[in-house]
Amino acid sequence: MTTSPTIDIKSLQLGELEDKVRELGQPLYRARQIADWLYQKRVQSFDEMTDLPQGLRNRLAEQFDFSKIDIVRVLGSHDTTRKFLVRLADDSLIETVLIPASPALYGSRSDRRTLCVSTQVGCAYGCKFCASGLEGFSRNLKPNEIVDQIIAVERESGEKIDNIVFMGMGEPLANLDNVMRAIRIINAPWGLGIGARRITLSTSGLAPQIRKLADEPLQIRLAISLHGATDDVRNQIMPINRRYNIETLLAACDYYTSRKKQRLTFEYILIAGVNDSDEQARLLASHAKRLSAKVNLIPYNTVHGLPWSRPSEDRQEKFLSILRERGIAATLRREKGHDIDAACGQLRLQTKRELQTANS
Ligand code: SAH
Ligand code: SF4
């Protein structure tokens, strides 16, 4: 009798695939063949790996999962941001967002396509402005579920993705082991081959994990969701700040920048009357200066059922100018229309509400 398979084949590193084929009495090059089927040819079953001996295919199928994810809903069109609602093997729903060329985005040039991937189902951190945290936390994504978001969107859209941001649903640093496993597959030449500098991880401020990430050799980029320049403001909207306050967070960022060549980015959502004062801008500038960080200002996207809104365009520009006067490399996302560009978590929420209404 065999035990039920649990590890997914798309969670393994090349070295682990090599260990496995060796254990099964096969030559090492089989591992590269398997990786090639998974990440270049992108088959969806062991049976399609036609240059492997049938016996090996059977053994692999007994020992590993080969789970599929399905795109069940798409919002947006070819030239705009497109949102994909993804159903996982256990029927959980997550979101993945394809962002076309946008000069203000992390590591991106005008010809780049960026994918915003999720790392958890829901989020436990409960930031007051965020749709992802509204229904709490369900579970961590497995490495294969992270990698498969990229493969599924490339298949569905026919586009090649060359920039990855971990800014979908969930807190990546709360699922660091699985996220790092996925990143190694995304980055590896035998995997998806996306350069480390084209991969950005965003965190709400888990200071100890920022230090852990600093000790990782990969030169991925890090973005910090700051959203407030003082503890007063941050405490109001981000519960995590009561655990790791701004000074604790900035000290972890100091450590990060001492270990990495990449500059940090501070993300700062502008929320009217909450964090958009001149005073906050001046303090934000001094934090950014301390870390030589870039600042990315994002006008708040309204979330159905939440009370927050974005400041006027004048206020947004004033905030930006205070940063620039102080020599900070800052950008402001000026896109119009909230509908489709709305932040991650909302399509899932909307779909769940529609389903609830339909079922009741
Ligand atoms: N948990 C991580 C990564 C996912 S959130 C983090 O918080 O950094 C990705 C980004 O979207 C964060 O900067 C988050 O603050 C931002 N965000 C969440 N809700 C938003 C909204 N309604 N409008 C604009 N940005 C939002
Ligand atoms: Fe979680 Fe990030 Fe949303 Fe905060 S902003 S609730 S950490 S996903």
Side-chain angles (χ1 to χ4, degrees):
M1 213 182 91
T2 52
T3 51
S4 78
T6 43
I7 294 183
D8 195 278
I9 190 76
K10 274 183 257 180
S11 296
L12 298 188
Q13 308 297 316
L14 185 63
E16 293 166 328
L17 282 173
E18 287 175 345
D19 291 346
K20 182 44 77 177
V21 297
R22 193 187 293 117
E23 186 191 309
L24 295 173
Q26 292 283 326
L28 273 193
Y29 69 84
R30 296 284 185 214
R32 284 197 178 267
Q33 283 180 306
I34 296 169
D36 193 58
W37 284 113
L38 293 174
Y39 304 112
Q40 312 310 318
K41 303 193 184 84
R42 301 184 178 184
V43 295
Q44 294 182 303
S45 70
F46 290 110
D47 252 352
E48 292 167 73
M49 302 184 175
T50 47
D51 60 3
L52 302 185
Q54 188 63 51
L56 176 59
R57 284 185 250 165
N58 295 345
R59 298 297 295 277
L60 291 171
E62 281 160 23
Q63 295 188 19
F64 294 100
D65 264 350
F66 202 133
S67 59
K68 256 179 51 177
I69 67 174
D70 291 313
I71 292 177
V72 291
R73 196 169 171 186
V74 185
L75 240 62
S77 60
H78 188 74
D79 300 325
T80 61
T81 298
R82 244 173 304 168
K83 281 193 164 199
F84 300 86
L85 188 70
V86 173
R87 190 175 52 217
L88 306 175
D90 69 349
D91 285 342
S92 297
L93 295 174
I94 56 166
E95 288 182 39
T96 304
V97 183
L98 179 59
I99 308 161
S102 157
L105 262 166
Y106 317 82
S108 103
R109 283 195 324 241
S110 50
D111 55 346
R112 293 235 157 83
R113 274 160 308 268
T114 295
L115 194 70
C116 175
V117 300
S118 292
T119 56
Q120 299 182 312
V121 183
C123 181
Y125 289 84
C127 300
K128 299 281 196 288
F129 48 80
C130 176
S132 294
L134 272 182
E135 293 195 7
F137 171 72
S138 303
R139 67 173 177 87
N140 283 330
L141 293 193
K142 292 178 273 183
N144 55 294
E145 292 171 325
I146 297 171
V147 174
D148 266 338
Q149 291 173 57
I150 304 169
I151 294 176
V153 169
E154 285 197 343
R155 181 180 293 134
E156 168 90 18
S157 69
E159 303 216 31
K160 172 91 185 77
I161 287 148
D162 34 31
N163 207 44
I164 303 291
V165 295
F166 285 89
M167 295 187 186
M169 184 180 296
E171 169 49 57
L173 292 191
N175 185 17
L176 186 55
D177 288 347
N178 288 350
V179 169
M180 281 315 301
R181 256 183 183 273
I183 287 178
R184 286 188 205 104
I185 296 170
I186 292 167
N187 175 243
W190 54 262
L192 298 183
I194 298 177
R197 286 174 178 75
R198 305 267 94 87
I199 301 173
T200 301
L201 197 149
S202 173
T203 179
S204 60
L206 275 63
Q209 273 82 352
I210 291 173
R211 289 173 186 271
K212 233 170 129 181
L213 190 68
D215 294 331
E216 286 281 343
L218 272 184
Q219 289 291 331
I220 55 173
R221 291 174 194 268
L222 181 63
I224 307 288
S225 292
L226 202 61
H227 311 331
T230 54
D231 285 328
D232 260 5
V233 168
R234 227 171 168 259
N235 282 342
Q236 270 182 50
I237 49 178
M238 301 181 75
I240 182 82
N241 198 67
R242 295 181 191 271
R243 205 168 344 148
Y244 308 115
N245 65 17
I246 291 200
E247 188 40 47
T248 307
L249 171 57
L250 295 180
C253 293
D254 284 332
Y255 179 70
Y256 190 90
T257 51
S258 75
R259 305 289 310 248
K260 300 279 178 188
K261 295 187 215 95
Q262 307 288 339
R263 284 217 273 167
L264 281 180
T265 301
F266 284 144
E267 289 166 88
Y268 199 98
I269 309 176
L270 289 168
I271 310 177
V274 174
N275 63 0
D276 61 343
S277 68
D278 290 0
E279 174 69 3
Q280 289 290 307
R282 286 192 289 270
L283 285 165
L284 173 59
S286 80
H287 298 327
K289 193 152 264 173
R290 158 175 172 179
L291 286 152
S292 305
K294 296 181 275 190
V295 174
N296 189 15
L297 300 175
I298 307 147
Y300 181 66
N301 280 310
T302 41
V303 174
H304 184 73
L306 295 181
W308 322 94
S309 62
R310 54 173 66 180
S312 69
E313 278 175 27
D314 282 355
R315 184 92 289 268
Q316 297 173 23
E317 297 290 344
K318 178 75 196 309
F319 199 95
L320 175 68
S321 71
I322 294 173
L323 297 175
R324 291 208 167 140
E325 277 158 18
R326 284 162 177 73
I328 305 301
T331 52
L332 168 65
R333 227 183 269 173
R334 290 190 177 88
E335 91 280 356
K336 301 248 185 325
H338 299 213
D339 306 349
I340 177 66
D341 287 318
C344 260
Q346 297 197 54
L347 178 58
R348 168 180 180 257
L349 199 66
Q350 186 192 326
T351 305
K352 283 183 132 187
R353 283 183 178 148
E354 283 168 13
L355 289 173
Q356 273 161 11
T357 319
N359 291 337
S360 64

